[in-house]
Amino acid sequence: MAWVYLLLAGAAEIGWMISLRYAEGFTRPLALAATVVLMGISLVFLSLAIRTIPMGTAYALWTGVGASGIAIIGIVFYQEPATLLRVACIGLIICGMIGLKVASA
C-alpha cells in the first residue's frame, strides 16, 4: 500500500504544479486554494509512504514522479519543447526511479 500512497503523492505533486500555473502569481484565489490543498494532500500521502518505504527512496521517487510527470504534461498539453535532449533527460529520471524501486525491493 505504501507504493500506492507514494504514487498518489506524486500525482498530487503534479496537480499542485498545474494549479499553480493557473494561480497566475497568486492572483486567482480558487487556483491558489487548489494549489495549497494539493500540496497538503501530496505531503500527507508522502508521510504515509515513508512509514514503510525508506525516506530517501520515497523522496527521490516523489520528486521524480512530480518532475517527470509535469515535464511530460508540459510537452503534451502546454506546447513546451520536446527536444531529443529534453525527452532523454526525462527518460533518465524515469530510469533512475525504476532503479530506486528495484533497489529497495
Side-chain angles (χ1 to χ4, degrees), residues 37-92:
V37 168
L38 287 165
M39 284 178 169
I41 291 169
S42 182
L43 289 174
V44 166
F45 281 122
L46 178 62
S47 70
L48 292 171
I50 64 173
R51 290 179 177 174
T52 306
I53 301 169
M55 181 174 53
T57 300
Y59 183 73
L61 288 169
W62 176 62
T63 58
V65 167
S68 60
I70 201 65
I72 292 167
I73 288 170
I75 290 168
V76 173
F77 295 107
Y78 297 100
Q79 293 73 47
E80 294 180 3
T83 63
L84 181 61
L85 180 58
R86 190 163 188 220
V87 172
C89 289
I90 293 168
L92 287 171

Side-chain angles (χ1 to χ4, degrees), residues 7-29:
L7 185 61
L8 291 171
E13 185 82 0
I14 293 167
W16 78 253
M17 189 62 212
I18 293 169
S19 64
L20 182 63
R21 183 181 195 278
Y22 291 102
E24 294 182 9
F26 304 115
T27 60
R28 299 182 70 195

